[in-house]
Amino acid sequence: AQTVTQSQPEMSVQEAETVTLSCTYDTSENNYYLFWYKQPPSRQMILVIRQEAYKQQNATENRFSVNFQKAAKSFSLKISDSQLGDTAMYFCAFSRSSNTGKLIFGQGTTLQVKP
Amino acid sequence: DVKVTQSSRYLVKRTGEKVFLECVQDMDHENMFWYRQDPGLGLRLIYFSYDVKMKEKGDIPEGYSVSREKKERFSLILESASTNQTSMYLCASSLRLAGAYNEQFFGPGTRLTVL
């Protein structure tokens, strides 16, 4: 069975600095998808960034980028130029290559951006 | 603007009561999901549905059932609520086409307390 582990329950960063959130996963699949979702306080969860396992190039979305290490089964999220609005809980998630789109989530990391 | 709505933000019920949580999406998505979110455990899939009247168990279906009579609506039912079902419940939806790569859109969540 697939598992997703986020080993950092809480992190903090100063505004404008860079922070990296860690995520590791376990799977025997060769093709799959990885996601980072953001849940701001009292607001709906939204997708931040996603990565297809067969693509070598790391995904980037503006200030958000990932470091995908397939052999190490690692998928970290880097937030550059942190902003107060980045304060949220971040979830790493895994999905097998199938039509169902079922997600397996990690435990979450609460990120606080300090002014 | 895409939207997933849930019938209540906060709900307080008594042990043994039958509880209905409703979710509606306006994006014509085939897939709909129910998760529960608990501190330190992340999100865990309860049930999902990939079409009207179709459903599949997720990772923690015990004590829950679901109903999907219309494409836009997916209901979660707690047949006899128990205190260990006190949790945050999140609904999500996604397109079936391109399956696992698709973004899931989440509702605001229902915080259920069972006394």
Side-chain angles (χ1 to χ4, degrees), chain B residues 97-109:
Chain B
L97 184 65
Y101 188 66
N102 284 329
E103 175 180 1
Q104 288 192 16
F105 293 87
F106 285 82

Side-chain angles (χ1 to χ4, degrees), chain B residues 75-93:
Chain B
S75 301
L76 179 69
I77 304 154
L78 287 66
E79 295 289 343
S80 178
S82 63
T83 55
N84 63 14
Q85 292 178 310
T86 291
S87 186
M88 171 71 87
Y89 290 87
L90 295 176
C91 175
S93 71

